Amino acid sequence: MAKSEQDLNGLRPAKIKEILDSLRDNPDVLKAVTGPWKSRVVWQKGFKAKAYMRQHAVQMDEPEGLDAQDSAASAHEQLLSAMGSCLTVGFVLNATLRGVQIHDLEIALEGNFDNILKWAGHSKEGNPGYPTVKAKCFVRADASDAVLREIWKAAVDGSPVVQTVARPTNIVTEFEQVGA
Amino acid sequence: MSKPKLFPVTVVGSWPRPTWLIQALRKRQNGEITQAEFNQIADDAVLSAIKYQEDAGVDIVSDGEVRRDNFYSFVVEKLSGIRLMKLSELMDYVKDRAGFEEILRASDVPSFAIKSPIAIDKIKERDGISLDEYDFLKNHTNRQTKIPLPGPYLLTRSAWFEGLSDKAYPTREDLAKDVVQILRNEVLELKKRGCDFIQFDEPSLTQVVYGDEAEQTFMCAALGTRRDPSEELEFAVRLMNETVEGIEGVRYGVHICRGNWSRKEDVLLKGNYGPLLPWLMRMNIHQLVLEMATPRAGEIDVFKEYRNQKELGLGVSNPRNDTIEDPKQIVQSVRKLLEFYDADKIMLNPDCGFGTFAERCVNTPDIAYKKLQSISRAAEMLRKEYT
């Protein structure tokens, strides 16, 4: 089951452990990892927007049904993807720390809006967002079912993105009109 | 010379794999062990599969297909120019990703679990597709033998993928010519070695008539593009007939079911054989190996119009549940067919294999054994009545 310390799941377990330990032992590292994490979203045209994060950029759009061009996934889909990606990172991290070789890993997520009429301006009540998000993990790995379930639980409990979504988050908004 | 035994019992092919065999299979796929090393390990699993079948009273046995990853993808080990690819690796080439996503959700499977042999170069055979399997089987049983092979339509449809295959084969038809030639060589060699029954698996024909109307899908091993259903069925008939043309002296069967990847009946396809029969009857084969023990397969009455035109390998046991069918119930379902079909045109088998996909076997060896035993008991009861 356990592989050598050289390389596991495309990672170096010893290096990962060293980084995690430095997070605990070195306040500067902890501060850097804690944040702030940033994204800047710039409107393009129609419902298109582009998000810039460090040196990366991600395009967003809306489906054609909304008179958009459907040139990219929409923000609410990318939220699901962000949750799935974060769970993937957590799963791989915890598996690697336990010495578990993963062969395939896939997470299928889905959610239904509670009251999208609020987004559309037809309703003042309720939640326009997902009241529930389902996330199913499929994995093929060299470990027992019990161990893999423990790893999955650790990934869910420790996921910054999932836990942000799962609990009330204080969203501080500001507004500024430019050039008025 | 004695009359042939009525109601011979056979299998569709696959048998559940033990964990140690799946681990060895992964090692072989990862290149950690050679094919010869794997075969040595798998020999024990084959012997066990044969013994279970013989003990259960099966008359025509298979090797359990336990050396195979699944019933068609295993060809990547036997042919050059073809590579086993996961759907997760193919997603970038899929035209309708949203449609595929819907099928994955409905089927409750991850994309990495769907694998298909994709032609990435001219395909060429090395030492046959199933000859090593057949030789080992023949050396370890006195019963009649069945070798399941992927059908020419299935293999062509699953292996030709736009964006990956078109450099070597501009069209599916180009690939089909090589597929037919390779299968013909296999049939000739199997016949020479004494194989009794060659079964071509063509489950994707169900997808043609009952699947999603999307051009691309992966239900029932039907990865790849399809055209109008009539054109597809015509293509399937032509390929089958070209494969067996002029080669006599071995029994040919075509197996068509509605999917065997899940125990959840509601995620599998449904619909009777009626729409397929005009084409299946034109295939120059002896037997249709049918799934009939699930209500999803519809009524047997659709065969009335075609009585005795082909032997029927009647599916009388559902491989995807733990219920051991009562032999009396099996007899009852065979009697329905006997109302319009002759006894010497009927074989009995489960609806499909017990381990179509190595890593998603639908049953355990013990349950599979008991189900086969039940079929054998039903066959004995029928023989007393009809001999």
Side-chain angles (χ1 to χ4, degrees):
Chain A
M1 178 167 121
K3 278 216 149 185
S4 75
E5 288 295 295
Q6 295 295 311
D7 187 301
L8 184 62
N9 302 323
L11 297 168
R12 294 169 295 169
K15 183 71 181 169
I16 294 286
K17 190 163 186 319
E18 186 187 314
I19 293 167
L20 295 186
D21 287 349
S22 72
L23 206 58
R24 179 192 59 205
D25 301 334
N26 185 336
D28 290 338
V29 174
L30 179 63
K31 190 167 178 294
V33 174
T34 298
W37 293 98
K38 299 161 192 169
S39 175
R40 181 171 299 272
V41 178
V42 180
W43 177 60
Q44 296 190 306
K45 282 286 175 208
F47 286 141
K48 261 193 221 169
K50 202 164 192 176
Y52 295 91
M53 300 146 284
R54 293 181 288 129
Q55 73 273 35
H56 308 290
V58 172
Q59 185 71 54
M60 304 201 194
D61 198 356
E62 292 291 331
E64 281 177 9
L66 283 175
D67 198 27
Q69 290 171 325
D70 204 13
S71 60
S74 56
H76 56 272
E77 290 167 321
Q78 299 206 34
L79 172 67
L80 297 177
S81 302
M83 292 171 70
S85 301
C86 196
L87 289 168
T88 301
V89 171
F91 195 100
V92 174
L93 171 72
N94 284 284
T96 305
L97 290 174
R98 285 167 167 81
V100 172
Q101 170 85 59
I102 302 170
H103 298 287
D104 288 289
L105 173 62
E106 200 165 305
I107 299 172
L109 299 102
E110 67 179 48
N112 285 11
F113 294 136
D114 186 32
N115 182 18
I116 195 62
L117 291 176
K118 189 169 182 181
W119 170 82
H122 295 314
S123 169
K124 292 195 185 321
E125 305 304 318
N127 173 11
Y130 303 126
T132 302
V133 171
K134 290 181 192 167
K136 178 162 182 178
C137 176
F138 296 97
V139 67
R140 198 164 66 85
D142 293 342
S144 68
D145 189 67
V147 167
L148 293 171
R149 282 178 192 279
E150 269 175 35
I151 291 171
W152 174 236
K153 186 174 185 312
V156 174
D157 292 348
S159 163
V161 177
V162 168
Q163 293 307 320
T164 298
V165 174
R167 61 189 71 209
T169 301
N170 187 26
I171 310 287
V172 181
T173 65
E174 282 184 66
F175 177 82
E176 182 179 326
Q177 187 179 14
V178 180
Chain B
M1 197 174 130
S2 62
K3 279 173 73 176
K5 194 177 185 181
L6 287 180
F7 307 106
V9 176
T10 186
V11 287
V12 174
S14 64
W15 194 254
R17 319 305 196 264
T19 309
W20 50 265
L21 185 64
I22 292 171
Q23 285 165 351
L25 182 69
R26 281 185 201 154
K27 282 186 182 170
R28 186 190 71 190
Q29 289 171 341
N30 293 337
E32 294 166 30
I33 58 173
T34 64
Q35 180 74 36
E37 287 168 330
F38 171 78
N39 271 342
Q40 214 166 16
I41 296 167
D43 285 352
D44 284 343
V46 176
L47 292 174
S48 167
I50 295 171
K51 175 128 179 52
Y52 269 117
Q53 292 172 76
E54 289 180 344
D55 290 352
V58 174
D59 300 296
I60 306 171
V61 300
S62 77
D63 80 332
E65 299 181 38
V66 297
R67 300 180 202 274
R68 304 179 179 183
D69 180 59
N70 68 45
F71 64 104
Y72 67 109
S73 70
F74 75 100
V75 298
V76 299
E77 315 279 354
K78 307 297 180 92
L79 304 172
S80 61
I82 195 161
R83 188 157 79 86
L84 188 62
M85 295 182 77
K86 296 173 194 167
L87 181 57
S88 48
E89 296 174 279
L90 294 169
M91 281 302 245
D92 286 341
Y93 300 92
V94 170
K95 286 182 194 166
D96 179 16
R97 277 182 221 147
F100 268 50
E101 178 60 30
E102 288 310 308
I103 305 172
L104 282 172
R105 300 258 168 194
S107 310
D108 193 29
V109 292
S111 62
F112 65 71
I114 313 290
K115 297 174 198 163
S116 196
I118 302 293
I120 51 168
D121 203 344
K122 288 277 184 193
I123 58 167
K124 290 189 183 111
E125 63 180 315
R126 293 191 283 252
D127 302 309
I129 299 172
S130 62
L131 303 180
D132 53 345
E133 295 175 358
Y134 176 74
D135 289 344
F136 188 84
L137 173 64
K138 190 65 192 166
N139 286 335
H140 292 90
T141 187
N142 293 321
R143 306 275 166 101
Q144 287 190 49
T145 51
K146 177 189 261 196
I147 285 289
L149 291 174
Y153 173 76
L154 165 72
L155 209 47
T156 303
R157 181 158 171 196
S158 61
W160 194 85
F161 206 87
E162 196 171 348
L164 289 164
S165 309
D166 33 353
K167 280 181 196 150
Y169 297 104
T171 66
R172 271 199 321 176
E173 281 68 12
D174 297 317
L175 172 62
K177 284 176 197 155
D178 281 359
V179 166
V180 164
Q181 192 52 54
I182 286 168
L183 287 174
R184 272 186 72 78
N185 294 346
E186 187 75 9
V187 167
L188 280 164
E189 197 55 44
L190 283 170
K191 183 200 153 187
K192 200 164 91 183
R193 294 176 191 216
C195 182
D196 300 289
F197 193 152
I198 298 174
Q199 173 188 289
F200 295 100
D201 293 327
E202 291 285 13
S204 47
L205 291 178
T206 312
Q207 194 280 328
V208 171
V209 291
Y210 289 119
D212 192 278
E213 287 182 3
E215 264 190 18
Q216 287 186 321
T217 182
F218 53 84
M219 295 281 260
C220 295
L223 192 68
T225 308
R226 77 164 188 181
R227 300 162 298 196
D228 169 76
S230 303
E231 274 183 64
E232 289 294 302
L233 293 168
E234 203 59 49
F235 186 47
V237 172
R238 178 163 63 80
L239 297 190
M240 181 58 69
N241 289 344
E242 285 174 3
T243 300
V244 299
E245 190 182 355
I247 312 174
E248 308 285 336
V250 56
R251 176 181 267 116
Y252 300 120
V254 166
H255 170 61
I256 300 165
C257 63
R258 290 154 190 76
N260 200 36
W261 65 84
S262 171
R263 285 185 141 221
K264 294 180 185 172
E265 288 285 314
D266 59 335
V267 305
L268 304 170
L269 293 176
K270 63 179 174 187
N272 68 44
Y273 285 100
L276 286 169
L277 292 181
W279 281 275
L280 296 180
M281 292 299 156
R282 287 173 43 217
M283 288 184 174
N284 297 328
I285 47 121
H286 305 90
Q287 185 175 122
L288 299 175
V289 183
L290 305 170
E291 174 184 50
M292 286 305 303
T294 167
R296 287 181 300 100
E299 290 301 312
I300 195 77
D301 291 358
V302 294
F303 289 91
K304 259 185 192 167
E305 198 183 331
Y306 304 95
R307 65 184 296 269
N308 294 334
Q309 286 189 27
K310 301 278 183 213
E311 288 178 355
L312 297 186
L314 190 65
V316 290
S317 171
N318 184 340
R320 293 171 301 277
N321 62 31
D322 295 340
T323 307
I324 309 302
E325 288 81 3
D326 182 343
K328 287 180 195 155
Q329 285 297 114
I330 294 175
V331 168
Q332 285 303 326
S333 54
V334 178
R335 278 205 188 109
K336 277 191 189 170
L337 178 60
L338 283 163
E339 285 171 18
F340 54 89
Y341 234 83
D342 290 350
D344 63 356
K345 291 276 186 185
I346 301 172
M347 288 195 186
L348 305 183
N349 45 257
D351 275 7
C352 196
F354 293 99
T356 302
F357 299 92
E359 293 183 0
R360 286 174 80 89
C361 292
V362 290
N363 231 314
T364 62
D366 281 346
I367 299 280
Y369 166 71
K370 286 175 185 157
K371 280 176 176 274
L372 291 180
Q373 210 173 33
S374 226
I375 300 175
S376 298
R377 285 182 184 142
E380 280 167 24
M381 291 159 76
L382 285 160
R383 278 175 211 132
K384 278 182 193 157
E385 203 174 325
Y386 289 89
T387 303

